[in-house]
Amino acid sequence: MTLPADQAVGGQHASEHIEAIRVDDLHAFYGESHALHGIDMTVYEGELVTLLGRNGAGRTTTLRSLVGLIPRCTGSIVINGQQVVGVPPHAIAHLGVGYCPEERGIFASLNVEENLMLPPRVAPGGMSVDEIYAMFPNLKERRKSQGTRLSGGEQQMLAMARILRTGASILLLDEITEGLAPVIVEKLAEVLTELKSRGYTIVLVEQNFRFAAPLADRHLIMDHGHIVATVAKHELDEKQAIFDEYLSV
Amino acid sequence: MFADIFGFPPQVLFGQLLLGLINGAFYAVLSLGLAVIFGLLNIVNFAHGALYMLGAFVAYFLLTYGGIGYWGALILAPIIVGAFGALIERFLLRRLSGVDHLYGLLLTFGLALILEGTFVKFFGASGKPYPTPAGLQGGVNLGFMFLPWYRGWVVVASLVVCLATWLLFERTKIGAYLRAGTENPKLLQAFGVNVPFLTTLAYGFGVGLAAFAGVLAAPITQVGPLMGSNLIIIVFAVVVIGGMGSIVGAVVTGLAMGVIEGLTKVFWPEASATVIFFVMAIVLVLRPAGLFGKTA
């Protein structure tokens, strides 16, 4: 039996098919420019879904819409059962959303530990500081350093680590491997595998298909503000042509 | 009994130094409030002088109509005026948060004119006396100069408030929010912090500092509608010299400029009214972001 692409989901928790995020006909605007043209997507609890596409395809805008950072949005975004279009960002976070922005957003006026402790708890059951330091030992060593004095890789670890503390169950990660050395990218793949096994729901914006392919349950391919294709993990070979069409530069 | 220093009797020199330190204490507390407000709202609060004046007037009203003296006023006036500031932010300034910061500046400038005009209309332009609190009358002869207790208290109280504000910013969770909110308010909000509310609090706090300075000033300068407008121009120069939005910069520069102004009164009295602006011009040319500002 073959499931339709949208239902061919993986992950141990995904079988329950609880919708963590459901987006219908989402349009987003920056001033005069129309960045998203009617996005429909569903992410199930425990799933790891990537948004793939070229620069400017609308992947980052989609993530920013989910956390309420695009002031002009129309359509519907339901997160953990709650409509969030028009809801202020701080209220969306408290639905259990953790956001790791593309530019990492480490605060220069805070040290590593203050950066780590900054995001307020949004739900019970976040990782403890000890668990986080066990996962990212470098951060523990450098906890008194100014946040922006860390290397790029360490800053990325910190940007991930600080949303794991908050109890967020939905992680929105934007280009976490961008510009990092292969050894760090490998470490991030390990971390994502670990997080997935703990049941986190993860939406990953990526350029690096090799990094994303083995981790993700599904890939959503974006182009010009549309989702143009959905490829489940088991379809990677048969649908290779789609990746060639939309991802090759 | 004491030898002259650089040809000036020590009483003159130390007297002006103390006067400079007191002025510097006011500059420090006022520019500190401006720095807090600038950090989160990105506007130069032109109403700051008028709110300082309002602090002094609230102390005067509390005494005249409520029988509440100086010490009560020192606590109550900053809270009352700070709450008034929070309302200004919530219902006026917040509406301008999406547009050019110049509009916020114009709004606060207009508010200052309205507040000062209203008080001139009802109370006249001249000052009303406010008594020095009973415990702080008189002074002590230090040998080289006479130190009025109240003036010493002003310097100490200002320094304590500046230190407390610094501790609040550098050592507490809310301070971490304020620092992060100054850097990247959108991301902080996406983490789940109610940044609009934090902004209202920051404005209220900055305004409360202005009112605190107003109460401190009341026994020295008398309480008059224009007491703030005379002072605020110098405070803006101090903020420019120190660097916009820097907490430490505001305090250190405030005190330093007061002292420089005091010393200039001794060595070249005619220049004392302009020396701070002269320093400002030099700093702007050599280090446009200010002495403690971060060059973007």
Side-chain angles (χ1 to χ4, degrees):
Chain A
M1 187 185 96
T2 326
L3 290 167
D6 200 41
Q7 285 173 38
V9 294
Q12 52 185 14
H13 299 260
S15 55
E16 296 158 26
H17 277 220
I18 300 168
E19 289 174 353
I21 303 171
R22 185 187 176 97
V23 177
D24 289 299
D25 196 29
L26 175 68
H27 293 256
F29 306 84
Y30 289 107
E32 292 298 301
S33 90
H34 192 168
L36 297 181
H37 299 263
I39 301 284
D40 298 295
M41 62 184 254
T42 305
V43 180
Y44 297 98
E45 267 183 26
E47 230 190 340
L48 196 162
V49 171
T50 66
L51 295 176
L52 300 174
R54 298 192 182 96
N55 279 332
R59 300 164 304 149
T60 293
T61 305
T62 304
L63 277 204
R64 291 174 60 85
S65 303
L66 292 177
V67 289
L69 288 178
I70 306 288
R72 284 185 61 209
C73 278
T74 64
S76 160
I77 302 172
V78 175
I79 295 180
N80 284 339
Q82 199 120 355
Q83 178 60 245
V84 301
V85 170
V87 171
H90 59 267
I92 297 177
H94 286 273
L95 297 172
V97 179
Y99 172 55
C100 178
E102 185 175 9
E103 71 285 357
R104 295 175 193 140
I106 301 304
F107 293 96
S109 52
L110 275 62
N111 68 24
V112 169
E113 198 160 61
E114 286 173 323
N115 266 288
L116 180 62
M117 305 308 282
L118 182 76
R121 282 188 193 285
V122 295
M127 286 169 70
S128 71
V129 175
D130 287 341
E131 274 180 289
I132 286 170
Y133 280 149
M135 198 178 241
F136 306 104
N138 287 21
L139 297 183
K140 186 173 188 180
E141 275 169 42
R142 307 209 53 188
R143 62 186 184 278
K144 294 294 173 201
S145 308
Q146 188 192 345
T148 44
R149 297 215 177 233
L150 298 183
S151 70
E154 288 168 328
Q155 288 193 31
Q156 188 60 64
M157 306 277 175
L158 179 55
M160 295 269 296
R162 69 181 167 190
I163 54 174
L164 300 178
R165 221 199 82 256
T166 64
S169 57
I170 299 176
L171 307 180
L172 308 177
L173 313 176
D174 198 347
E175 297 275 16
I176 56 172
T177 62
E178 198 180 23
L180 298 181
V183 54
I184 314 254
V185 174
E186 232 167 86
K187 167 75 184 168
L188 286 169
E190 276 170 40
V191 168
L192 283 190
T193 309
E194 162 78 18
L195 295 177
K196 191 165 165 7
S197 74
R198 287 176 181 238
Y200 283 94
T201 306
I202 301 170
V203 179
L204 185 66
V205 166
E206 259 305 329
Q207 292 273 22
N208 185 344
F209 179 64
R210 280 167 197 281
F211 169 77
L215 298 168
D217 298 308
R218 275 187 305 149
H219 304 278
L220 307 179
I221 322 291
M222 293 193 72
D223 194 44
H224 291 104
H226 299 271
I227 291 183
V228 291
T230 303
V231 179
K233 193 171 195 168
H234 63 86
E235 301 172 311
L236 284 179
D237 290 334
E238 54 190 278
K239 293 198 176 171
Q240 188 58 44
I242 294 174
F243 295 106
D244 295 339
E245 183 183 349
Y246 290 106
L247 303 185
S248 59
V249 223
Chain B
M1 157 172 117
F2 283 90
D4 287 0
I5 302 170
F6 302 124
F8 295 95
Q11 287 86 343
V12 174
L13 192 63
F14 288 113
Q16 289 301 339
L17 255 181
L18 175 69
L19 211 59
L21 211 52
I22 289 165
N23 284 336
F26 285 114
Y27 301 158
V29 175
L30 287 169
S31 60
L32 181 62
L34 284 174
V36 171
I37 290 170
F38 185 80
L40 272 188
L41 286 91
N42 261 303
I43 60 158
V44 178
N45 183 31
F46 264 73
H48 217 63
L51 294 160
Y52 159 85
M53 173 273 287
L54 198 58
F57 261 101
V58 167
Y60 173 78
F61 294 145
L62 285 172
L63 184 68
T64 313
Y65 303 109
I68 296 170
Y70 176 84
W71 299 106
L74 202 57
I75 306 286
L76 285 176
I79 292 172
I80 294 168
V81 180
F84 177 65
L87 292 177
I88 293 175
E89 197 289 327
R90 177 64 188 83
F91 294 103
L92 299 174
L93 287 170
R94 186 180 293 184
R95 293 169 179 273
L96 299 177
S97 63
V99 297
D100 195 306
H101 300 310
L102 195 59
Y103 290 94
L105 185 151
L106 288 171
L107 178 84
T108 55
F109 188 55
L111 276 174
L113 294 178
I114 291 169
L115 276 172
E116 287 176 352
T118 307
F119 275 81
V120 169
K121 163 101 177 81
F122 290 102
F123 300 96
S126 62
K128 310 204 170 297
Y130 187 92
T132 303
L136 293 173
Q137 281 162 2
V140 59
N141 194 340
L142 298 175
F144 54 87
M145 63 174 287
F146 180 77
L147 173 69
W149 288 124
Y150 188 76
R151 309 219 160 195
W153 155 251
V154 165
V155 174
V156 171
S158 303
L159 289 179
V160 167
V161 162
C162 290
L163 183 70
T165 305
W166 182 82
L167 285 173
L168 175 77
F169 267 73
E170 295 297 325
R171 294 285 181 269
T172 68
K173 187 67 192 251
I174 193 146
Y177 285 161
L178 289 164
R179 278 179 284 150
T182 298
E183 252 185 81
N184 190 344
K186 289 203 164 140
L187 182 58
L188 184 68
Q189 197 178 3
F191 282 156
V193 176
N194 190 340
V195 172
F197 180 67
L198 192 68
T199 306
T200 305
L201 277 187
Y203 192 80
F205 182 75
V207 166
L209 284 176
F212 180 82
V215 182
L216 281 184
I220 297 179
T221 64
Q222 300 197 329
V223 178
L226 301 177
M227 64 190 277
S229 58
N230 303 331
L231 187 59
I232 203 66
I233 305 292
I234 299 175
V235 173
F236 283 138
V238 168
V239 169
V240 172
I241 294 167
M244 295 293 232
S246 160
I247 301 288
V248 174
V251 175
V252 173
T253 314
L255 289 170
M257 288 306 118
V259 169
I260 286 177
E261 198 181 31
L263 289 179
T264 311
K265 265 185 198 138
V266 179
F267 296 110
W268 190 10
E270 296 82 357
S272 66
T274 43
V275 65
I276 289 180
F277 299 97
F278 187 65
V279 174
M280 180 181 87
I282 294 173
V283 167
L284 276 178
V285 170
L286 297 180
R287 219 181 128 79
L291 296 177
F292 295 83
K294 291 187 183 80
T295 30

